[in-house]
């Protein structure tokens, strides 16, 4: 698996409300034009930051499961529709090595 890098563009359909966490505002496309746009990778979110956010939000999670998923797909901060969101790629969206 190859990580996405800062500046990479991803299709907007990769960014779904179900798998994204909004940092500043809504994280969904509001019209057809938005669905044609792309999202831009800002950075890969470090695992420690992911865990800290989950702790701040008082989320219950298994640290081993979270570590496994983070190592497999990563978590990325993405600029999409004018909002910064956290995006967890699905398995089929992970770049091949």
């Amino acid at each position: 698996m190859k990580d996405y890098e800062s500046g990479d563009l991803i299709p907007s359909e990769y960014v779904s409300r179900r798998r994204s966490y909004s940092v500043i505002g809504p994280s969904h496309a509001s019209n057809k034009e938005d669905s044609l746009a792309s999202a831009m990778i800002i950075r890969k979110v470090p695992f420690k930051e992911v865990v800290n956010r989950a702790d701040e939000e008082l989320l219950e999670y298994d640290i081993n499961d979270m570590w496994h998923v983070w190592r497999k797909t990563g978590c990325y901060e993405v600029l999409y529709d004018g909002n910064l969101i956290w995006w967890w790629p699905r398995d089929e969206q992970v770049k091949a090595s």
Side-chain angles (χ1 to χ4, degrees), residues 28-65:
H28 62 286
S30 56
N31 59 42
K32 280 189 173 184
E33 292 171 12
D34 291 336
S35 65
L36 300 175
S38 28
M40 185 172 61
I41 301 291
I42 302 299
R43 68 186 177 108
K44 184 172 185 179
V45 180
F47 182 71
K48 181 173 175 38
E49 192 173 335
V50 172
V51 171
N52 288 344
R53 172 70 58 85
D55 289 342
E56 288 170 8
E57 299 292 327
L58 302 176
L59 300 176
E60 192 172 319
Y61 62 93
D62 180 287
I63 190 77
N64 294 320
D65 289 344

